[in-house]
Amino acid sequence: MNTETSIFDKIVKERRSVRIYDKSHNYDKSIVERSIERAILSPNSSNMQLWEFYRITNEESKSKIAYYCLDQLPAKTANELVVFVVRPDKYKQSIKFNLDLINSKDSFEKESRRKKRTLYYTKLMPLFYTFDFLFVLSLLKKTFVFFKGLKQPVVREVTSINKKVTIHKSVALAAQTFMLSVKAEGYDTCPLEGFDSKRVKKFLKLPRKAEINMIISVGKAADDGVWYPQKRFAYKDVVREI
Ligand SMILES: Cc1cc2nc3c(=O)[nH]c(=O)nc-3n(C[C@H](O)[C@H](O)[C@H](O)COP(=O)(O)O)c2cc1C
């Protein structure tokens, strides 16, 4: 292993879900800002970046969110909680961001690709992300790809449910980058999906269409912070080489 690989290997192996944090540790909250900056660099579907990150740092808000996390210890003992939010409703803003990049004066886009990419963001993305009243559009799209798919390979995940999955995938990738970064900074995390999403959304004043992907608690692990040994299925049991 070269040096970079062994550093990465160590970070991956030392990241554990921590259930109790050391509250007496002199917590440096700047590591979270750097880690969110790195999370933002994560791959995400069509560079739409339909995500937001809410840092819960003050004691009162933290104890509220910890309560909504069913009083789980990783939330109650954390120095900070970061809520990873999915924002399908902000798709128009993301389309504009990408179109501005493609069509700006100093665009990196080759002329030959510019037209195709402009069409992608002006036609396909609105069709995928537009609000689907009573699933009528989803049904039409599903029927269209079914027939198109009889003759050629097509992307079949075109419904409004698929849209949510797409955004959640991207946000979960950002969450993993975040957790590895926090570990690299010498701190610990625990991803949480055990929470009351309705109450968390209300507390953060999020619109109806926003969703919570996960909440990640951050802090320095206490001596008894990791509860279980890390056990996984073996490589040979989950990998198929074709
Ligand atoms: C999407 C997701 C949700 C999770 N939710 C919780 C949770 O609500 N509470 C908790 O204590 N751990 C939670 N975990 C942590 C897992 O239990 C943990 O990752 C798993 O047991 C493997 O342990 P490790 O992370 O230390 O390798 C969650 C993990 C993921 C990825």
Side-chain angles (χ1 to χ4, degrees):
M1 268 195 244
N2 66 33
T3 321
E4 282 180 352
T5 316
S6 58
I7 292 170
F8 183 67
D9 193 60
K10 185 169 147 63
I11 293 165
V12 169
K13 286 180 177 155
E14 289 185 357
R15 182 220 55 84
R16 295 300 316 281
S17 293
V18 162
R19 271 46 187 249
I20 304 177
Y21 296 98
D22 176 2
K23 281 286 234 183
S24 67
H25 182 82
N26 191 12
Y27 173 67
D28 171 12
K29 68 189 276 223
S30 69
I31 65 116
V32 170
E33 182 171 344
R34 289 196 292 277
S35 296
I36 295 177
E37 291 280 12
R38 292 177 190 126
I40 287 170
L41 299 178
S42 301
N44 67 94
S45 183
S46 301
N47 202 32
M48 291 290 278
Q49 307 165 73
L50 294 167
W51 51 34
E52 274 178 353
F53 311 88
Y54 286 74
R55 296 184 62 177
I56 316 296
T57 52
N58 84 62
E59 287 304 323
E60 204 186 325
S61 304
K62 262 196 307 168
S63 60
K64 262 259 152 61
I65 298 282
Y67 174 58
Y68 300 151
C69 291
L70 320 177
D71 270 337
Q72 293 190 70
L73 282 172
K76 266 170 88 169
T77 65
N79 286 103
E80 178 164 348
L81 297 161
V82 183
V83 186
F84 284 65
V85 178
V86 166
R87 291 297 303 261
D89 53 309
K90 294 182 87 178
Y91 76 93
K92 286 186 184 158
Q93 187 180 311
S94 299
I95 287 174
K96 184 178 180 318
F97 174 88
N98 282 290
L99 283 173
D100 286 351
L101 282 177
I102 294 165
N103 295 309
S104 71
K105 266 207 306 308
D106 50 354
S107 173
F108 51 85
E109 207 76 52
K110 282 195 191 122
E111 196 56 44
S112 56
R113 288 191 54 79
R114 193 178 291 192
K115 203 172 159 203
K116 213 172 160 194
R117 297 246 301 149
T118 301
L119 270 179
Y120 183 81
Y121 284 106
T122 51
K123 300 278 183 254
L124 208 66
M125 286 296 100
L127 195 61
F128 187 52
Y129 284 107
T130 194
F131 178 59
D132 187 5
F133 185 65
L134 294 176
F135 295 96
V136 176
L137 193 58
S138 291
L139 201 67
L140 285 173
K141 286 191 280 187
K142 199 84 192 142
T143 312
F144 175 75
V145 296
F146 172 78
F147 285 108
K148 196 171 176 202
L150 293 174
K151 293 198 195 103
Q152 65 189 82
V154 285
V155 175
R156 291 168 195 271
E157 288 69 29
V158 291
T159 67
S160 52
I161 307 282
N162 298 143
K163 168 181 83 181
K164 285 188 188 183
V165 173
T166 294
I167 314 173
H168 274 279
K169 279 188 217 171
S170 297
V171 178
L173 288 174
Q176 175 68 349
T177 305
F178 175 78
M179 289 187 279
L180 292 178
S181 168
V182 170
K183 188 70 240 181
E185 294 275 5
Y187 281 86
D188 298 283
T189 54
C190 185
L192 302 163
E193 64 183 348
F195 53 80
D196 183 330
S197 59
K198 191 174 170 187
R199 286 191 159 84
V200 176
K201 273 176 69 171
K202 191 168 173 210
F203 182 76
L204 300 178
K205 299 188 174 61
L206 289 170
R208 198 171 50 82
K209 285 182 195 146
E211 288 185 3
I212 316 281
N213 177 259
M214 65 182 95
I215 297 177
I216 301 186
S217 61
V218 184
K220 190 85 176 168
D223 291 341
D224 57 349
V226 176
W227 286 352
Y228 318 105
Q230 194 174 44
K231 299 284 181 202
R232 296 289 197 261
F233 292 121
Y235 180 92
K236 67 174 173 44
D237 296 331
V238 291
V239 179
R240 305 281 173 271
E241 198 169 331
I242 315 286

